[in-house]
Amino acid sequence: MIPLGTARQMLLDGEAPVYRLLPSGPEKLAPIAAVTSGLWYENYREFAIAPEDLGTLDKLVRRETDRLMGNRPQLHKNEERRPAPER
């Protein structure tokens, strides 16, 4: 299971599918449906991701930890300081 805040962030980022856990079984959530249906305010709020998406959860945790600690993400060598495209 993942907390509500993590489920929200993963849905907003669209990085991995998020499931709402119901007695009848897991239900895959569409990001827009989760927002428009008021899902965040329902009493029954248990969420999960598939085991194969745990790497995505790890990336989210690292990114949020770095953000909270004020660390800037390290650029890969092929992404280093490219000039910004003209507008």
Side-chain angles (χ1 to χ4, degrees):
M1 284 194 303
I2 59 174
L4 173 63
T6 303
R8 280 185 188 162
Q9 191 63 43
M10 292 186 83
L11 279 169
L12 292 173
D13 292 346
E15 295 177 347
V18 175
Y19 299 86
R20 181 169 59 162
L21 301 179
L22 299 169
S24 60
E27 171 189 279
K28 185 176 178 180
L29 296 174
I32 193 72
V35 174
T36 59
S37 69
L39 173 70
W40 307 133
Y41 306 106
E42 291 181 7
N43 291 329
Y44 194 84
R45 298 179 298 183
E46 291 187 1
F47 303 93
I49 59 172
E52 58 268 16
D53 294 322
L54 288 175
T56 304
L57 181 61
D58 287 341
K59 284 193 289 187
L60 174 68
V61 169
R62 274 187 255 120
R63 188 173 60 234
E64 288 300 305
T65 302
D66 287 344
R67 183 183 64 79
L68 291 170
M69 295 180 67
N71 297 335
R72 292 183 170 210
Q74 298 295 320
L75 296 176
H76 296 290
K77 290 187 184 215
N78 60 354
E79 295 177 352
E80 287 182 25
R81 303 282 177 192
R82 286 189 218 163
E86 294 293 324
R87 290 185 179 191

